[in-house]
Coordinates of all heavy atoms in Angstrom, one line a residue:
M1 N -14.8 16.9 -13.4 CA -13.7 16.8 -12.4 C -12.8 18.1 -12.5 O -12.4 18.4 -13.6 CB -12.9 15.5 -12.7 CG -11.7 15.4 -11.8 SD -10.7 13.9 -12.2 CE -11.8 12.6 -12.5
D2 N -12.6 18.7 -11.4 CA -11.7 19.9 -11.4 C -10.3 19.5 -11.4 O -10.0 18.3 -11.2 CB -12.1 20.8 -10.3 CG -11.8 20.2 -8.9 OD1 -11.3 19.1 -8.8 OD2 -12.1 20.9 -7.9
W3 N -9.4 20.4 -11.6 CA -8.0 20.1 -11.8 C -7.4 19.6 -10.5 O -6.4 18.9 -10.5 CB -7.2 21.2 -12.4 CG -7.0 22.4 -11.5 CD1 -7.9 23.5 -11.3 CD2 -5.9 22.7 -10.7 NE1 -7.4 24.4 -10.4 CE2 -6.1 23.9 -10.0 CE3 -4.7 22.0 -10.4 CZ2 -5.2 24.4 -9.1 CZ3 -3.8 22.5 -9.5 CH2 -4.1 23.7 -8.8
L4 N -7.9 20.1 -9.3 CA -7.3 19.7 -8.0 C -7.7 18.2 -7.8 O -6.8 17.5 -7.3 CB -7.9 20.5 -6.9 CG -7.2 21.9 -6.7 CD1 -7.9 22.7 -5.5 CD2 -5.7 21.7 -6.3
T5 N -8.8 17.8 -8.1 CA -9.2 16.4 -8.0 C -8.4 15.5 -8.9 O -7.9 14.5 -8.5 CB -10.7 16.2 -8.2 OG1 -11.5 17.0 -7.4 CG2 -11.1 14.7 -8.1
F6 N -8.2 16.0 -10.1 CA -7.4 15.3 -11.1 C -5.9 15.2 -10.6 O -5.3 14.1 -10.6 CB -7.4 16.0 -12.4 CG -6.5 15.3 -13.5 CD1 -7.0 14.1 -14.1 CD2 -5.3 15.9 -13.8 CE1 -6.1 13.5 -15.0 CE2 -4.5 15.2 -14.8 CZ -4.9 14.0 -15.4
L7 N -5.4 16.3 -10.1 CA -4.0 16.3 -9.5 C -3.9 15.3 -8.4 O -2.9 14.5 -8.3 CB -3.6 17.7 -9.1 CG -2.2 17.8 -8.5 CD1 -1.2 17.6 -9.5 CD2 -2.1 19.2 -7.9
G8 N -4.9 15.3 -7.5 CA -4.9 14.4 -6.4 C -5.0 12.9 -6.8 O -4.3 12.0 -6.3
L9 N -5.7 12.6 -7.8 CA -5.8 11.3 -8.4 C -4.5 10.8 -9.0 O -4.1 9.7 -8.8 CB -7.0 11.2 -9.3 CG -8.4 11.1 -8.7 CD1 -9.4 11.2 -9.8 CD2 -8.6 9.8 -7.9
V10 N -3.9 11.7 -9.8 CA -2.6 11.3 -10.4 C -1.6 11.1 -9.4 O -0.8 10.1 -9.4 CB -2.2 12.4 -11.4 CG1 -0.8 12.2 -11.9 CG2 -3.1 12.5 -12.6
A11 N -1.5 12.0 -8.4 CA -0.5 11.8 -7.3 C -0.8 10.5 -6.5 O 0.1 9.7 -6.2 CB -0.5 13.0 -6.3
G12 N -2.0 10.2 -6.2 CA -2.4 9.0 -5.5 C -2.1 7.7 -6.3 O -1.6 6.8 -5.8
V13 N -2.3 7.8 -7.6 CA -2.0 6.6 -8.5 C -0.5 6.4 -8.5 O -0.1 5.2 -8.4 CB -2.6 6.8 -9.9 CG1 -2.0 5.8 -10.9 CG2 -4.1 6.8 -9.9
C14 N 0.3 7.4 -8.5 CA 1.7 7.3 -8.5 C 2.2 6.6 -7.2 O 3.0 5.7 -7.2 CB 2.4 8.6 -8.7 SG 2.3 9.3 -10.4
T15 N 1.8 7.2 -6.1 CA 2.2 6.7 -4.8 C 1.6 5.3 -4.5 O 2.3 4.4 -3.9 CB 1.9 7.6 -3.6 OG1 0.5 7.9 -3.6 CG2 2.7 8.9 -3.8
T16 N 0.4 5.0 -4.9 CA -0.2 3.8 -4.7 C 0.4 2.6 -5.5 O 0.7 1.5 -5.0 CB -1.8 3.8 -5.1 OG1 -2.4 4.8 -4.2 CG2 -2.4 2.5 -4.9
S17 N 0.8 2.9 -6.8 CA 1.3 1.9 -7.6 C 2.8 1.6 -7.3 O 3.3 0.6 -7.8 CB 1.2 2.4 -9.1 OG 1.9 3.5 -9.4
A18 N 3.4 2.4 -6.5 CA 4.8 2.2 -6.1 C 5.1 0.9 -5.5 O 6.1 0.3 -5.6 CB 5.3 3.4 -5.2
I19 N 4.1 0.3 -4.8 CA 4.3 -0.9 -4.0 C 4.2 -2.1 -5.0 O 4.6 -3.2 -4.7 CB 3.2 -1.1 -2.9 CG1 3.5 -2.3 -2.1 CG2 1.8 -1.1 -3.4 CD1 4.7 -2.4 -1.3
I20 N 3.5 -2.0 -6.1 CA 3.3 -3.1 -7.0 C 4.5 -3.9 -7.4 O 4.5 -5.1 -7.3 CB 2.4 -2.6 -8.2 CG1 1.0 -2.2 -7.7 CG2 2.3 -3.7 -9.3 CD1 0.1 -1.6 -8.8
P21 N 5.6 -3.2 -7.8 CA 6.8 -4.1 -8.2 C 7.3 -4.9 -7.1 O 7.7 -6.1 -7.2 CB 7.8 -3.0 -8.7 CG 7.0 -1.8 -9.1 CD 5.8 -1.8 -8.2
Q22 N 7.3 -4.3 -5.8 CA 7.8 -5.1 -4.7 C 6.9 -6.2 -4.3 O 7.3 -7.3 -4.0 CB 8.0 -4.2 -3.5 CG 8.6 -4.8 -2.3 CD 10.0 -5.3 -2.5 OE1 10.8 -4.4 -2.8 NE2 10.3 -6.5 -2.4
L23 N 5.6 -6.0 -4.4 CA 4.6 -7.0 -4.1 C 4.7 -8.1 -5.2 O 4.7 -9.3 -4.8 CB 3.2 -6.4 -4.2 CG 2.0 -7.2 -3.8 CD1 2.1 -7.6 -2.4 CD2 0.7 -6.4 -4.0
Y24 N 4.9 -7.8 -6.4 CA 5.0 -8.8 -7.5 C 6.3 -9.6 -7.3 O 6.3 -10.8 -7.4 CB 5.0 -8.2 -8.8 CG 5.1 -9.1 -10.0 CD1 4.1 -9.9 -10.4 CD2 6.3 -9.2 -10.7 CE1 4.2 -10.8 -11.4 CE2 6.4 -10.1 -11.8 CZ 5.4 -10.9 -12.1 OH 5.5 -11.8 -13.2
K25 N 7.4 -8.9 -6.9 CA 8.7 -9.6 -6.7 C 8.6 -10.6 -5.6 O 9.1 -11.7 -5.7 CB 9.8 -8.6 -6.5 CG 11.2 -9.2 -6.4 CD 12.2 -8.2 -6.2 CE 13.6 -8.8 -6.0 NZ 14.6 -7.8 -5.8
A26 N 8.0 -10.2 -4.5 CA 7.9 -11.0 -3.3 C 7.0 -12.2 -3.6 O 7.3 -13.4 -3.2 CB 7.3 -10.2 -2.1
W27 N 5.9 -12.0 -4.4 CA 5.0 -13.1 -4.7 C 5.7 -14.1 -5.6 O 5.6 -15.3 -5.4 CB 3.8 -12.5 -5.4 CG 2.8 -13.5 -5.8 CD1 2.0 -14.3 -5.0 CD2 2.5 -13.8 -7.2 NE1 1.2 -15.1 -5.8 CE2 1.5 -14.8 -7.1 CE3 2.9 -13.3 -8.4 CZ2 0.9 -15.4 -8.3 CZ3 2.3 -13.8 -9.5 CH2 1.3 -14.8 -9.5
R28 N 6.4 -13.6 -6.6 CA 7.1 -14.5 -7.6 C 8.3 -15.3 -6.9 O 8.5 -16.5 -7.2 CB 7.6 -13.7 -8.8 CG 6.5 -13.1 -9.6 CD 5.9 -14.1 -10.6 NE 6.9 -14.4 -11.6 CZ 6.8 -15.4 -12.4 NH1 5.8 -16.3 -12.3 NH2 7.7 -15.6 -13.3
S29 N 9.1 -14.5 -6.2 CA 10.3 -15.2 -5.6 C 10.1 -15.9 -4.3 O 10.9 -16.7 -3.9 CB 11.4 -14.1 -5.5 OG 11.1 -13.2 -4.4
K30 N 9.0 -15.5 -3.6 CA 8.7 -16.0 -2.3 C 9.9 -15.7 -1.3 O 10.1 -16.5 -0.4 CB 8.4 -17.5 -2.3 CG 7.2 -17.8 -3.1 CD 6.9 -19.3 -3.2 CE 5.7 -19.7 -4.0 NZ 5.3 -18.9 -5.1
K31 N 10.6 -14.6 -1.5 CA 11.7 -14.2 -0.7 C 11.3 -12.8 -0.1 O 11.1 -11.8 -0.9 CB 13.0 -14.1 -1.4 CG 13.4 -15.5 -1.9 CD 14.7 -15.5 -2.6 CE 15.0 -16.9 -3.1 NZ 16.2 -16.9 -4.0
V32 N 11.3 -12.7 1.2 CA 11.0 -11.4 1.8 C 12.0 -11.0 2.9 O 11.7 -10.1 3.7 CB 9.6 -11.4 2.4 CG1 8.6 -11.5 1.3 CG2 9.4 -12.6 3.4
A33 N 13.1 -11.7 2.9 CA 14.1 -11.5 4.1 C 14.6 -10.1 4.2 O 14.8 -9.7 5.4 CB 15.3 -12.5 3.9
D34 N 14.7 -9.3 3.1 CA 15.2 -8.0 3.2 C 14.1 -6.9 3.5 O 14.5 -5.8 3.5 CB 16.0 -7.6 2.0 CG 17.3 -8.5 1.9 OD1 17.8 -8.9 2.9 OD2 17.8 -8.7 0.7
L35 N 12.9 -7.3 3.6 CA 11.8 -6.4 3.8 C 11.6 -6.1 5.3 O 11.9 -7.0 6.1 CB 10.5 -6.9 3.2 CG 10.5 -7.2 1.7 CD1 9.1 -7.7 1.3 CD2 10.9 -5.9 1.0
S36 N 11.2 -4.9 5.6 CA 10.9 -4.5 7.0 C 9.4 -4.6 7.3 O 8.7 -3.8 6.8 CB 11.4 -3.1 7.2 OG 10.9 -2.7 8.5
P37 N 9.0 -5.6 8.0 CA 7.6 -5.7 8.3 C 7.0 -4.5 9.2 O 5.9 -4.1 9.0 CB 7.4 -7.0 9.1 CG 8.8 -7.2 9.7 CD 9.7 -6.6 8.7
K38 N 7.9 -3.9 10.0 CA 7.5 -2.7 10.7 C 7.2 -1.6 9.8 O 6.2 -0.9 10.0 CB 8.6 -2.3 11.7 CG 8.8 -3.3 12.8 CD 10.0 -2.9 13.7 CE 10.2 -4.0 14.7 NZ 11.4 -3.8 15.5
M39 N 8.0 -1.4 8.8 CA 7.7 -0.3 7.8 C 6.4 -0.5 7.1 O 5.6 0.4 7.0 CB 8.9 -0.2 6.8 CG 8.8 1.0 5.9 SD 7.7 0.9 4.4 CE 8.5 -0.4 3.5
F40 N 6.2 -1.7 6.7 CA 4.9 -2.0 6.0 C 3.7 -1.9 6.9 O 2.6 -1.5 6.5 CB 5.0 -3.4 5.3 CG 5.7 -3.3 4.0 CD1 7.0 -3.8 3.9 CD2 5.1 -2.7 2.9 CE1 7.6 -3.8 2.7 CE2 5.8 -2.6 1.7 CZ 7.0 -3.2 1.6
F41 N 3.9 -2.3 8.2 CA 2.8 -2.2 9.2 C 2.5 -0.7 9.4 O 1.3 -0.3 9.3 CB 3.2 -2.8 10.5 CG 2.1 -2.7 11.5 CD1 1.0 -3.4 11.5 CD2 2.3 -1.8 12.6 CE1 0.0 -3.3 12.4 CE2 1.3 -1.6 13.5 CZ 0.1 -2.3 13.5
I42 N 3.5 0.1 9.6 CA 3.3 1.6 9.8 C 2.7 2.2 8.6 O 1.7 3.0 8.7 CB 4.6 2.3 10.2 CG1 5.0 1.8 11.6 CG2 4.4 3.8 10.2 CD1 6.5 2.1 12.0
L43 N 3.2 1.8 7.4 CA 2.6 2.4 6.2 C 1.2 2.0 6.0 O 0.3 2.8 5.6 CB 3.5 1.9 5.0 CG 3.1 2.4 3.6 CD1 3.1 4.0 3.5 CD2 4.0 1.9 2.6
T44 N 0.9 0.7 6.2 CA -0.5 0.2 6.1 C -1.5 1.0 7.1 O -2.6 1.4 6.7 CB -0.6 -1.3 6.4 OG1 0.3 -1.9 5.4 CG2 -2.0 -1.8 6.2
M45 N -1.0 1.2 8.3 CA -1.8 1.9 9.3 C -2.0 3.4 8.8 O -3.1 3.9 8.9 CB -1.2 1.9 10.7 CG -1.1 0.5 11.3 SD -2.7 -0.3 11.4 CE -3.6 0.8 12.5
G46 N -0.9 4.0 8.3 CA -1.0 5.3 7.8 C -2.0 5.5 6.7 O -2.9 6.4 6.7
V47 N -1.9 4.7 5.7 CA -2.9 4.8 4.5 C -4.3 4.4 5.0 O -5.3 4.9 4.4 CB -2.4 4.0 3.3 CG1 -1.1 4.6 2.7 CG2 -2.2 2.6 3.5
G48 N -4.4 3.5 5.9 CA -5.7 3.2 6.5 C -6.4 4.4 7.1 O -7.5 4.7 6.9
L49 N -5.5 5.1 7.9 CA -6.0 6.4 8.5 C -6.3 7.5 7.5 O -7.3 8.2 7.6 CB -5.0 6.9 9.6 CG -4.9 6.0 10.8 CD1 -3.7 6.4 11.7 CD2 -6.2 6.0 11.6
W50 N -5.5 7.5 6.4 CA -5.8 8.5 5.3 C -7.1 8.1 4.7 O -7.9 9.0 4.3 CB -4.7 8.4 4.3 CG -3.6 9.5 4.5 CD1 -2.3 9.2 4.9 CD2 -3.7 10.9 4.5 NE1 -1.6 10.3 5.0 CE2 -2.4 11.4 4.8 CE3 -4.7 11.8 4.2 CZ2 -2.2 12.7 4.8 CZ3 -4.5 13.1 4.3 CH2 -3.2 13.6 4.6
T51 N -7.5 6.9 4.6 CA -8.7 6.4 4.0 C -9.9 6.9 4.8 O -10.9 7.5 4.3 CB -8.8 4.9 3.8 OG1 -7.6 4.5 3.0 CG2 -10.1 4.5 3.1
V52 N -9.7 6.7 6.1 CA -10.8 7.2 7.1 C -10.9 8.7 7.0 O -12.0 9.3 6.9 CB -10.5 6.8 8.5 CG1 -11.4 7.4 9.5 CG2 -10.5 5.3 8.7
Y53 N -9.8 9.4 6.9 CA -9.8 10.9 6.7 C -10.5 11.3 5.5 O -11.4 12.2 5.5 CB -8.4 11.4 6.7 CG -8.2 12.9 6.4 CD1 -8.4 13.8 7.5 CD2 -7.9 13.3 5.2 CE1 -8.3 15.2 7.2 CE2 -7.8 14.7 4.9 CZ -7.9 15.6 5.9 OH -7.8 16.9 5.7
G54 N -10.3 10.5 4.4 CA -10.9 10.8 3.1 C -12.4 10.6 3.2 O -13.2 11.4 2.6
V55 N -12.8 9.6 3.9 CA -14.3 9.3 4.1 C -14.9 10.5 4.9 O -16.0 11.0 4.5 CB -14.5 8.0 4.8 CG1 -16.0 7.8 5.2 CG2 -14.1 6.8 3.9
L56 N -14.2 10.9 5.9 CA -14.8 12.0 6.8 C -14.8 13.3 6.0 O -15.7 14.1 6.3 CB -13.9 12.1 8.1 CG -14.0 10.9 9.0 CD1 -13.0 11.1 10.2 CD2 -15.4 10.8 9.5
R57 N -13.9 13.5 5.1 CA -13.9 14.7 4.3 C -14.6 14.6 3.0 O -14.7 15.6 2.2 CB -12.4 15.1 3.9 CG -11.5 15.3 5.1 CD -11.4 16.7 5.6 NE -11.3 17.6 4.5 CZ -11.1 18.9 4.6 NH1 -11.1 19.4 5.8 NH2 -10.9 19.7 3.6
A58 N -15.1 13.4 2.7 CA -15.8 13.1 1.5 C -15.0 13.4 0.3 O -15.4 14.0 -0.7 CB -17.2 13.8 1.4
D59 N -13.7 13.0 0.3 CA -12.7 13.3 -0.8 C -12.5 12.0 -1.5 O -11.7 11.1 -1.0 CB -11.5 13.9 -0.2 CG -10.5 14.4 -1.2 OD1 -10.4 13.7 -2.3 OD2 -9.9 15.4 -1.0
L60 N -13.0 11.9 -2.7 CA -12.9 10.7 -3.5 C -11.5 10.3 -3.8 O -11.2 9.1 -3.8 CB -13.8 10.8 -4.8 CG -13.9 9.5 -5.6 CD1 -14.6 8.4 -4.8 CD2 -14.7 9.8 -6.9
A61 N -10.7 11.2 -4.2 CA -9.3 11.0 -4.5 C -8.5 10.4 -3.4 O -7.8 9.4 -3.5 CB -8.6 12.3 -5.0
I62 N -8.7 10.8 -2.2 CA -8.1 10.3 -1.0 C -8.6 8.9 -0.6 O -7.9 8.0 -0.3 CB -8.2 11.3 0.2 CG1 -7.5 12.5 0.0 CG2 -7.8 10.6 1.5 CD1 -7.6 13.6 1.0
I63 N -9.9 8.8 -0.7 CA -10.6 7.5 -0.4 C -10.1 6.4 -1.3 O -9.6 5.3 -0.9 CB -12.1 7.6 -0.5 CG1 -12.6 8.5 0.6 CG2 -12.7 6.2 -0.3 CD1 -14.1 8.9 0.4
L64 N -10.1 6.7 -2.7 CA -9.8 5.6 -3.6 C -8.3 5.2 -3.6 O -8.0 4.1 -3.5 CB -10.1 6.1 -5.1 CG -11.6 6.1 -5.4 CD1 -11.8 6.7 -6.8 CD2 -12.2 4.7 -5.4
T65 N -7.4 6.2 -3.6 CA -6.0 5.9 -3.7 C -5.5 5.3 -2.4 O -4.7 4.3 -2.5 CB -5.2 7.2 -4.1 OG1 -5.4 8.2 -3.1 CG2 -5.5 7.6 -5.5
N66 N -5.9 5.8 -1.3 CA -5.4 5.3 0.0 C -6.1 3.9 0.3 O -5.5 3.1 0.9 CB -5.6 6.3 1.1 CG -4.6 7.4 1.0 OD1 -3.4 7.1 1.3 ND2 -5.0 8.5 0.5
G67 N -7.4 3.8 -0.1 CA -8.0 2.5 0.1 C -7.3 1.4 -0.7 O -7.1 0.3 -0.2
I68 N -7.0 1.7 -1.9 CA -6.2 0.7 -2.8 C -4.9 0.5 -2.2 O -4.4 -0.7 -2.0 CB -6.2 1.1 -4.2 CG1 -7.6 1.1 -4.8 CG2 -5.2 0.3 -5.0 CD1 -7.7 1.8 -6.2
S69 N -4.2 1.5 -1.7 CA -2.8 1.4 -1.2 C -2.9 0.6 0.1 O -2.0 -0.2 0.4 CB -2.3 2.8 -0.9 OG -1.0 2.7 -0.4
F70 N -3.9 0.8 0.9 CA -4.1 0.0 2.1 C -4.2 -1.5 1.8 O -3.5 -2.3 2.4 CB -5.4 0.4 2.9 CG -5.7 -0.4 4.1 CD1 -5.1 -0.2 5.3 CD2 -6.5 -1.5 4.0 CE1 -5.3 -0.9 6.4 CE2 -6.8 -2.3 5.2 CZ -6.2 -2.0 6.3
S71 N -5.0 -1.8 0.8 CA -5.1 -3.3 0.4 C -3.8 -3.8 -0.1 O -3.5 -5.0 0.2 CB -6.2 -3.4 -0.7 OG -7.4 -2.9 -0.2
L72 N -3.1 -3.1 -1.0 CA -1.8 -3.6 -1.5 C -0.7 -3.8 -0.4 O 0.0 -4.8 -0.4 CB -1.3 -2.6 -2.6 CG -2.1 -2.6 -3.9 CD1 -1.6 -1.5 -4.8 CD2 -2.1 -3.9 -4.6
N73 N -0.7 -2.8 0.5 CA 0.3 -2.9 1.6 C -0.1 -4.0 2.6 O 0.8 -4.7 3.1 CB 0.5 -1.5 2.3 CG 1.3 -0.6 1.5 OD1 2.6 -0.9 1.3 ND2 0.7 0.4 0.8
A74 N -1.4 -4.2 2.8 CA -1.8 -5.3 3.7 C -1.4 -6.6 3.0 O -1.0 -7.6 3.7 CB -3.3 -5.2 3.9
A75 N -1.6 -6.7 1.7 CA -1.2 -7.9 1.0 C 0.3 -8.2 1.1 O 0.7 -9.3 1.2 CB -1.6 -7.8 -0.5
M76 N 1.1 -7.1 1.1 CA 2.5 -7.2 1.2 C 2.8 -7.8 2.6 O 3.8 -8.7 2.8 CB 3.2 -5.9 1.0 CG 4.7 -5.9 1.0 SD 5.3 -6.7 -0.5 CE 6.2 -8.1 0.2
L77 N 2.1 -7.4 3.6 CA 2.3 -7.9 5.0 C 2.0 -9.4 5.0 O 2.7 -10.2 5.7 CB 1.5 -7.1 6.0 CG 2.1 -5.8 6.5 CD1 1.1 -5.1 7.4 CD2 3.4 -6.1 7.3
V78 N 0.9 -9.7 4.4 CA 0.5 -11.1 4.3 C 1.6 -12.0 3.7 O 2.0 -13.0 4.2 CB -0.8 -11.3 3.6 CG1 -1.1 -12.8 3.3 CG2 -2.0 -10.7 4.4
L79 N 2.1 -11.5 2.6 CA 3.2 -12.2 1.9 C 4.4 -12.3 2.8 O 5.1 -13.3 2.8 CB 3.6 -11.6 0.6 CG 2.6 -11.7 -0.6 CD1 3.1 -11.0 -1.8 CD2 2.2 -13.2 -0.8
Y80 N 4.7 -11.2 3.5 CA 5.9 -11.2 4.4 C 5.8 -12.4 5.4 O 6.7 -13.1 5.6 CB 6.1 -9.9 5.1 CG 7.3 -10.0 6.1 CD1 8.6 -9.8 5.6 CD2 7.1 -10.3 7.4 CE1 9.7 -9.9 6.5 CE2 8.1 -10.4 8.3 CZ 9.4 -10.2 7.8 OH 10.5 -10.3 8.6
F81 N 4.6 -12.4 6.1 CA 4.5 -13.4 7.2 C 4.3 -14.8 6.6 O 4.7 -15.8 7.2 CB 3.3 -13.0 8.1 CG 3.7 -11.9 8.9 CD1 3.1 -10.7 8.8 CD2 4.7 -12.0 9.9 CE1 3.4 -9.6 9.5 CE2 5.0 -10.9 10.7 CZ 4.4 -9.7 10.5
R82 N 3.9 -14.9 5.4 CA 3.7 -16.2 4.7 C 5.1 -16.8 4.3 O 5.3 -18.0 4.4 CB 2.8 -16.1 3.5 CG 2.5 -17.4 2.8 CD 1.5 -17.3 1.8 NE 1.3 -18.5 1.1 CZ 0.6 -18.7 0.0 NH1 0.1 -17.7 -0.5 NH2 0.5 -19.9 -0.5
Y83 N 5.9 -15.9 3.8 CA 7.2 -16.3 3.2 C 8.4 -16.1 4.0 O 9.5 -16.4 3.6 CB 7.4 -15.7 1.8 CG 6.4 -16.0 0.8 CD1 5.9 -15.0 0.0 CD2 5.9 -17.3 0.6 CE1 5.0 -15.3 -1.0 CE2 5.0 -17.6 -0.3 CZ 4.5 -16.6 -1.1 OH 3.5 -16.9 -2.1
Q84 N 8.3 -15.5 5.2 CA 9.4 -15.3 6.1 C 10.1 -16.6 6.4 O 9.5 -17.6 6.6 CB 9.1 -14.5 7.3 CG 8.3 -15.3 8.4 CD 8.0 -14.4 9.5 OE1 8.6 -13.3 9.7 NE2 7.2 -14.9 10.4
T85 N 11.4 -16.6 6.5 CA 12.2 -17.7 6.9 C 12.2 -17.9 8.4 O 12.4 -16.9 9.1 CB 13.6 -17.7 6.4 OG1 14.2 -16.5 6.7 CG2 13.6 -17.9 4.9
K86 N 12.0 -19.0 8.9 CA 12.0 -19.3 10.3 C 13.4 -19.6 10.7 O 14.1 -20.5 10.2 CB 11.1 -20.5 10.7 CG 9.7 -20.4 10.2 CD 8.9 -19.4 11.0 CE 7.4 -19.4 10.5 NZ 6.7 -18.3 10.7
I87 N 13.9 -18.9 11.7 CA 15.3 -19.1 12.2 C 15.2 -19.8 13.6 O 14.4 -19.6 14.4 CB 16.1 -17.8 12.3 CG1 16.2 -17.2 11.0 CG2 17.4 -18.1 12.9 CD1 16.9 -15.9 11.0

């Protein structure tokens, strides 16, 4: 593995793992009132497109980190719609 791939993987792991504390908090507390579903939708679409880009470029770092990020952010959207309060 060359240093650019390693750098890409480290950067991807940092940005991908950033959602984990929020996801865990929402899952444990079942409270999502302060979250923006629009932001998570746009972010999920963005990392989904990055994943497609990575596939087209055959870039493993982009595929792995954005594919995982897509899954985590999609899970956050599921939790949002599952736990949102009905007004």
Side-chain angles (χ1 to χ4, degrees):
M1 175 183 317
D2 65 2
W3 72 274
L4 279 176
T5 302
F6 179 75
L7 180 65
L9 284 170
V10 170
V13 166
C14 289
T15 56
T16 298
S17 63
I19 185 65
I20 293 172
Q22 185 65 61
L23 187 61
Y24 181 73
K25 182 178 179 181
W27 177 68
R28 294 278 290 162
S29 70
K30 296 178 179 35
K31 294 180 183 172
V32 293
D34 292 336
L35 298 180
S36 169
K38 291 176 186 173
M39 187 278 295
F40 280 104
F41 178 75
I42 294 167
L43 182 58
T44 302
M45 294 304 297
V47 294
L49 291 171
W50 270 113
T51 304
V52 172
Y53 175 79
V55 169
L56 294 173
R57 302 270 312 186
D59 189 320
L60 186 60
I62 292 174
I63 296 167
L64 286 177
T65 58
N66 286 287
I68 293 168
S69 186
F70 176 84
S71 299
L72 292 172
N73 283 289
M76 188 71 241
L77 277 172
V78 168
L79 289 182
Y80 177 83
F81 289 111
R82 183 174 180 190
Y83 298 138
Q84 72 179 348
T85 50
K86 306 286 187 204
I87 298 176

